[in-house]
Amino acid sequence: MQTQGTSSKGSTWGLAILFAVLVGGMRESVEGMLVGALLGGSLAQVMHLRNRANKLDEQIRSLQTSLVSRERKTPPPIEPTELQAAAQRIHTPDPLAPGQAEQFAPAAAVPKVEQIPSSQALPFKPPPAPSPPRVPPQPSALDKLIAALTAWIKGGNPLARIGIVVLFFGGAFLAKYAAENSLFPIELRFVAIALGALALLVIGWRLRERRAVYAQLLQGGGIAGLYLTVFAATTLSRLLPFGLALGLLIAIAVCAAILAVAQNAVSLAVIATAGGFLAPVMLASGSNNHVGLFTYYAVLNLGVFTVAWFRTWRSLNVLGFVFTFTITGLWRATGYAPSDLFTADAFLLLFFLMYVAVSILNCIRQPPDLKGYVSGSLVFGLPVVAFTLHATLVSTIEYGLAWSALALGAFYLALAWGLFLTRRATLHLLVEAFAALGVIFASLAIPLAFDTRTTAAMWAVEGAGLLWLGVRQNRRLARAFATLLQLAAGLGYLSGVGHLHAAQAILNGAYLGTLLLAVSGIVSGYWLFGNAQREANYERGAHTAFALWGVAWLLFGGLQEIDRFADAVQLGAALAYVATIGVGLLLLSTRLQWRFPSQVALYLPALSMLSALMYALDYAHPFAQGGGAGWLILMAGHYWILRRFDAMDSNEASCRWLHAIACWVLALVMAWEANWQIEFVASGVWPQLPWGLMPAVLLAWLSRQRLLPPWPLAKFADVYRIRGGIPLAMSVVAWIVFINLTSDGDSRWLPYLPLINPLDVSVALCGTALALWWTSLTQEQRQVVWPMDLKGLLASAAALTFLWLNAALLRSLHHNWGTPLDITSMAHCTLVQTSLSVFWGMIGFAAMTLAARNQWRHVWIVGGVLMGIVVAKLFLVDLSSIGTLARITSFLSVGVLLLVTGYLAPLPPRRSAHIEGGL
């Protein structure tokens, strides 16, 4: 504890002095020194507290690990009686005293066994299952950086380390002050600084065996002082020629590398390198001699590379990387001119190649940990930083960024291939990292050079190829990146879809882009389907998503092309195109033994039918824009696909429903087109007739005892008669009700004859088709169609017939005697009311007479109810609303009918009715 407290105080005072010198030197005031001291002291306290928290966390984790290992080393299972006895003989160790947690060892968990009688044994309770150790959170990059700084200051001799930093800054300030005030001859100043640096270097070398850490600090300070002297004498005072200065700097860098490697002293290398990089910053004169600056940095980086050849000191590598590109970026922001493009870019390329070589040397010396802060900075941070700086230089050159990205991607791919051929195990992860960087930068070159269509197409193809590689090598990361690449390709294409223009059909960038997107998606789905045994949990269903993605792009591109170049036959061409895609997907599925495309092909025509019907609403009829041929091709393709599924012995219930859907759509399309065609040649009731006749004709065809053709009607007779026939019958019934309630039956150029006119004949034909369809059904099929009592069905048929006959009577009165057809006028029309009374009476009389002869009690009751309604109508309506003569006629007619009915049709006795036999 005393040692820790002393170290904490030493760090606090050391950082306070260091920050006081730095801030005071920059501000050149006492206030600056005070502020710096406060900042340094505060930072030291924060680092001290953070260090203490980390140590406590490590102690807790160590204790947890010890406890877990103790619980895992339990004795092997023994017999129950012996286990119970042994449980009493275990000597429980004393609790740990405070401060002894670090001395706790798993060996202390061995139980002490004592001999006691087995009769005193207690029931044995098995020990609880050990809980898994808690994985501590990984420290952030900032935490690592602060920890490294703290460790460097506190390690070895902190006072000496702080002192060498202060001495370096003091020498730099002295050199600058002396140069500005001309206190001594310029040569003498630099000789003095150089002698001081050499003195530090010699003293450090002599102390290397007795006090190694202290000696390394002195040597590092001496190396930094030599860097400072040569750079200042060359750039500030022009005392040394450029060639000689370059040679001296190389010699200093080589000497520093030799000293660091010989003594295995990373601190010496870090101090010397940091001092070398800081020298130009401390001696900045505003001359903007970037060639001299970057040449100097190239020499320093050569020293870093030399050290990396012998030692794997990643801290030194990252230090050089950060200094080099940070100062380069600052110069780019403040001192760059367009005339400096060539030299600046050449030095940037040189720095980039140096640190790529350094990252390779690290992996050769030991396996890389690319998830760590240091290696990640070099391997992944280097290309990002270097390309960003390069982009700021060449952004004004046409296609400069595109060619640069392509060159960088090709460089990384070639480098990955070359390293792969070495077959070194330590380079395996680095090869993957370089290959990924090559793919990323090559992909980046595409949008920088081309428009959105070409970019999307090339990204899609690249994504498909990368996915194939990921499947072949079982690389999940490659497959994930390929998926994102194809998704980005699709989004990129859609982002520019409003600006698509093409002068030639098919052979244009717009359609070919969607075609490549589609093919890439489909082949990617197939490759993932073949990789199903090795797929990850999150990849389940990915092959389905890719296949749908590809088909969607295939449809989108083709329909867009039809819209641009086939506007006159757009609907027909679209239907034919969809049918072709469906057939092609089924053939592809059969060829590849891949089931999912066949499922898409199965449902695609049916979905396109519904879409086409909605689209045709804007054009009044389904055969518009070449739709006649399109519907024919689509139906042919649909039934061909169903036939192939039937040949494959597919028992899918959906296939049966698809047969029925085709039947419904065929009736709807025929009725709709006939309605539209008749409107051009006739008016009145004629255009309305196909809506009922077309479903009735199809229903009558399904009522044949021997259905033709043998496939699909005869083979799927149940499907067409039940699933297909029920909606057709319902539509016929609905049409009968609607047409009788809304139409006046005007046949225009034909004279209107009661019941022998186009409307009534059509209704009769529809009723006949309904009757034929019902009689063609078996008893089981009738139970499916009408599961309730057949009396209800008979009542519904009677009500429908009653509606039709009444409507026919009213239409006859309207066309022959001019009676109105609106409800209000008919209620006060004498002829209409009289006719209805007599007509209803005749219907009631006929129903009661027929029921009496066949002993149909229920039918007789219905007829009697109708006669009662007629009588009530006579007294409640006709008595006050019609004329005298009409009233007399109504009363006399109904009275006669009642008398005759009472004589000829008495109420049948109560017994089992024969309605079902009559049906």
Side-chain angles (χ1 to χ4, degrees):
M1 297 297 293
Q2 181 68 25
T3 303
Q4 293 177 358
T6 304
S7 176
S8 173
K9 293 179 181 179
S11 300
T12 302
W13 283 107
L15 280 179
I17 296 172
L18 175 61
F19 273 75
V21 172
L22 290 178
V23 179
M26 288 185 291
R27 297 295 301 271
E28 298 182 355
S29 63
V30 178
E31 293 83 355
M33 296 182 66
L34 293 176
V35 172
L38 291 175
L39 289 176
S42 300
L43 179 60
Q45 289 298 322
V46 170
M47 291 189 295
H48 170 67
L49 293 176
R50 182 185 295 272
N51 191 30
R52 288 291 300 155
N54 291 336
K55 286 186 176 180
L56 291 175
D57 188 54
E58 290 176 1
Q59 292 176 2
I60 293 174
R61 290 200 301 269
S62 175
L63 182 59
Q64 290 176 342
T65 304
S66 300
L67 291 175
V68 170
S69 61
R70 174 188 179 187
E71 292 174 349
R72 288 179 178 175
K73 292 184 179 180
T74 55
I78 57 179
E79 296 298 328
T81 57
E82 298 179 4
L83 192 61
Q84 293 176 0
Q88 299 299 319
R89 296 194 293 268
I90 294 177
H91 173 69
T92 303
D94 295 334
L96 293 176
Q100 295 179 353
E102 296 180 357
Q103 301 176 0
F104 189 89
V110 179
K112 180 179 180 181
V113 182
E114 299 177 357
Q115 298 293 334
I116 62 174
S118 60
S119 59
Q120 300 179 7
L122 298 176
F124 174 73
K125 295 182 180 180
S131 58
R134 184 178 67 87
V135 179
Q138 294 294 329
S140 63
L142 179 61
D143 294 337
K144 292 182 179 180
L145 186 60
I146 294 177
L149 179 62
T150 306
W152 184 82
I153 293 176
K154 296 176 63 177
N157 193 329
L159 294 178
R161 292 190 175 187
I162 297 173
I164 203 68
V165 172
V166 173
L167 184 62
F168 173 78
F169 279 93
F173 293 146
L174 175 62
K176 186 175 182 181
Y177 179 78
E180 291 175 351
N181 295 276
S182 302
L183 296 180
F184 304 101
I186 189 67
E187 295 83 358
L188 182 60
R189 303 171 205 161
F190 287 111
V191 168
I193 297 175
L195 289 176
L198 287 173
L200 290 176
L201 190 60
V202 171
I203 295 172
W205 176 257
R206 293 177 63 85
L207 296 176
R208 68 185 185 280
E209 294 181 356
R210 287 177 293 172
R211 303 184 64 180
V213 175
Y214 186 77
Q216 292 168 11
L217 291 174
L218 294 181
Q219 294 176 65
I223 294 296
L226 292 177
Y227 276 132
L228 175 66
T229 303
V230 175
F231 182 80
T234 305
T235 59
L236 295 181
S237 303
R238 303 291 191 273
L239 293 179
L240 295 177
F242 183 77
L244 178 60
L246 181 61
L248 290 175
L249 289 174
I250 294 175
I252 295 171
V254 172
C255 290
I258 293 174
L259 289 174
V261 172
Q263 301 174 71
N264 196 24
V266 63
S267 59
L268 171 59
V270 169
I271 292 173
T273 304
F277 277 107
L278 285 174
V281 179
M282 302 301 297
L283 299 177
S285 62
S287 62
N288 197 23
N289 183 10
H290 70 282
V291 175
L293 174 67
F294 290 151
T295 303
Y296 172 72
Y297 277 177
V299 174
L300 289 178
N301 286 318
L302 181 62
V304 173
F305 175 79
T306 305
V307 173
W309 187 273
F310 299 97
R311 294 288 186 270
T312 307
W313 292 338
R314 296 184 180 179
S315 58
L316 177 63
N317 301 333
V318 173
L319 180 70
F321 164 68
V322 171
F323 269 117
T324 299
F325 288 94
T326 300
I327 296 175
T328 303
L330 292 174
W331 173 83
R332 170 63 182 89
T334 58
Y336 172 76
S339 58
D340 302 331
L341 171 62
F342 178 77
T343 54
D345 216 17
F347 278 111
L348 184 62
L349 178 61
L350 177 62
F351 296 154
F352 169 75
L353 293 176
M354 282 184 172
Y355 281 98
V356 169
V358 167
S359 64
I360 297 175
L361 286 176
N362 281 339
C363 293
I364 292 176
R365 296 289 173 249
Q366 66 182 39
D369 180 13
L370 294 180
K371 294 182 180 179
Y373 170 74
V374 175
S375 294
S377 300
L378 281 180
V379 175
F380 294 107
L382 174 62
V384 174
V385 174
F387 186 78
T388 302
L389 290 173
H390 173 76
T392 63
L393 300 177
V394 301
S395 59
T396 57
I397 302 175
E398 185 178 9
Y399 297 115
L401 289 177
W403 284 112
S404 301
L406 181 61
L408 187 58
F411 168 77
Y412 270 113
L413 290 174
L415 189 59
W417 179 251
L419 295 177
F420 173 76
L421 294 179
T422 63
R423 306 295 181 182
R424 286 178 176 265
T426 56
L427 296 178
H428 181 71
L429 194 56
L430 188 65
V431 167
E432 292 188 357
F434 282 171
L437 288 171
V439 171
I440 290 172
F441 280 101
S443 303
L444 182 62
I446 297 172
L448 294 174
F450 302 100
D451 58 8
T452 56
R453 295 171 295 180
T454 310
T455 299
M458 298 178 72
W459 274 4
V461 174
E462 183 182 356
L466 189 60
L467 190 140
W468 173 80
L469 186 64
V471 170
R472 287 292 301 270
Q473 298 182 354
N474 195 24
R475 301 292 184 187
R476 296 182 180 180
L477 182 60
R479 297 198 296 268
F481 183 75
T483 302
L484 294 177
L485 197 59
Q486 295 202 44
L487 180 62
L491 296 177
Y493 186 94
L494 292 177
S495 65
V497 72
H499 306 287
L500 298 180
H501 302 287
Q504 185 179 2
I506 299 177
L507 298 178
N508 58 77
Y511 178 68
L512 293 179
T514 58
L515 185 62
L516 289 176
L517 281 166
V519 173
S520 300
I522 292 174
V523 298
S524 298
Y526 175 67
W527 290 330
L528 288 175
F529 168 74
N531 193 54
Q533 298 297 328
R534 299 184 299 174
E535 67 180 5
N537 291 331
Y538 60 84
E539 290 180 317
R540 291 178 181 174
H543 71 93
T544 300
F546 265 109
L548 290 175
W549 173 267
V551 173
W553 280 110
L554 198 61
L555 291 172
F556 176 78
L559 295 178
Q560 285 287 325
E561 199 73 0
I562 291 171
D563 180 59
R564 283 192 294 265
F565 296 100
D567 186 64
V569 290
Q570 184 173 353
L571 179 58
L575 293 176
Y577 180 73
V578 172
T580 304
I581 290 178
V583 172
L585 287 175
L586 183 57
L587 294 175
L588 180 68
S589 175
T590 305
R591 175 75 176 178
L592 300 179
Q593 298 297 312
W594 182 18
R595 184 172 179 269
F596 183 73
S598 66
Q599 299 297 309
V600 178
L602 181 63
Y603 295 103
L604 185 60
L607 294 175
S608 63
M609 291 177 192
L610 302 179
S611 301
L613 290 173
M614 297 179 63
Y615 175 82
L617 291 174
D618 296 332
Y619 295 92
H621 69 115
F623 283 9
Q625 297 182 335
W631 281 107
L632 181 62
I633 295 173
L634 182 63
M635 284 292 179
H638 178 63
Y639 276 104
W640 183 84
I641 293 172
L642 291 176
R643 183 66 180 267
R644 289 295 296 265
F645 267 83
D646 186 39
M648 292 186 293
D649 295 329
S650 175
N651 296 321
E652 295 190 22
S654 57
C655 291
R656 298 179 176 271
W657 280 110
L658 291 173
H659 280 278
I661 290 174
C663 179
W664 307 338
V665 173
L666 180 62
L668 178 59
V669 170
M670 292 170 58
W672 189 357
E673 184 62 27
N675 163 264
W676 186 83
Q677 295 289 347
I678 293 175
E679 280 186 343
F680 280 95
V681 297
S683 57
V685 74
W686 294 100
Q688 303 177 39
L689 300 181
W691 291 111
L693 288 176
M694 289 300 176
V697 170
L698 193 55
L699 194 63
W701 185 266
L702 297 177
S703 304
R704 292 168 53 94
Q705 184 176 2
R706 183 181 179 184
L707 289 177
L708 293 175
W711 194 97
L713 295 186
K715 183 169 184 177
F716 298 98
D718 290 346
V719 174
Y720 281 94
R721 282 179 175 165
I722 303 300
R723 298 183 184 181
I726 291 177
L728 294 178
M730 294 174 62
S731 65
V732 170
V733 172
W735 179 80
I736 292 175
V737 174
F738 176 80
I739 199 72
N740 281 289
L741 291 178
T742 60
S743 177
D744 61 356
D746 185 10
S747 56
R748 299 297 181 182
W749 44 273
L750 284 179
Y752 190 89
L753 299 175
L755 298 180
I756 310 176
N757 57 78
L759 177 55
D760 291 328
V761 171
S762 298
V763 173
L765 291 175
C766 290
T768 303
L770 290 171
L772 290 174
W773 173 66
W774 177 260
T775 56
S776 68
L777 301 177
T778 63
Q779 191 64 33
E780 292 78 9
Q781 291 173 340
R782 292 180 182 180
Q783 288 296 324
V784 174
V785 175
W786 190 269
M788 299 175 288
D789 192 351
L790 290 179
K791 297 175 183 178
L793 179 63
L794 180 61
S796 300
L800 187 64
T801 304
F802 180 74
L803 172 65
W804 169 46
L805 294 177
N806 278 274
L809 171 64
L810 295 175
R811 288 193 294 269
S812 298
L813 294 175
H814 171 73
H815 287 286
N816 293 290
W817 287 278
T819 59
L821 288 178
D822 61 284
I823 296 177
T824 304
S825 300
M826 286 191 298
H828 298 86
C829 181
T830 300
L831 181 56
V832 170
Q833 295 302 321
T834 302
S835 301
L836 288 176
S837 297
V838 174
F839 182 64
W840 289 359
M842 294 176 64
I843 292 177
F845 167 75
M848 295 174 71
T849 303
L850 183 63
R853 291 181 179 180
N854 293 278
Q855 300 296 305
W856 294 344
R857 182 180 179 87
H858 293 88
V859 176
W860 190 96
I861 292 174
V862 173
V865 170
L866 183 59
M867 293 297 289
I869 293 174
V870 171
V871 173
K873 178 178 177 297
L874 289 175
F875 286 97
L876 297 178
V877 179
D878 297 352
L879 191 62
S880 60
S881 62
I882 62 177
T884 303
L885 183 59
R887 189 184 311 124
I888 294 172
T889 304
S890 299
F891 273 80
L892 291 177
S893 302
V894 174
V896 171
L897 288 172
L898 288 171
L899 290 175
V900 174
T901 302
Y903 176 75
L904 297 178
L907 178 64
R910 185 184 297 276
R911 59 179 181 177
S912 299
H914 299 283
I915 296 178
E916 297 180 7
L919 273 176

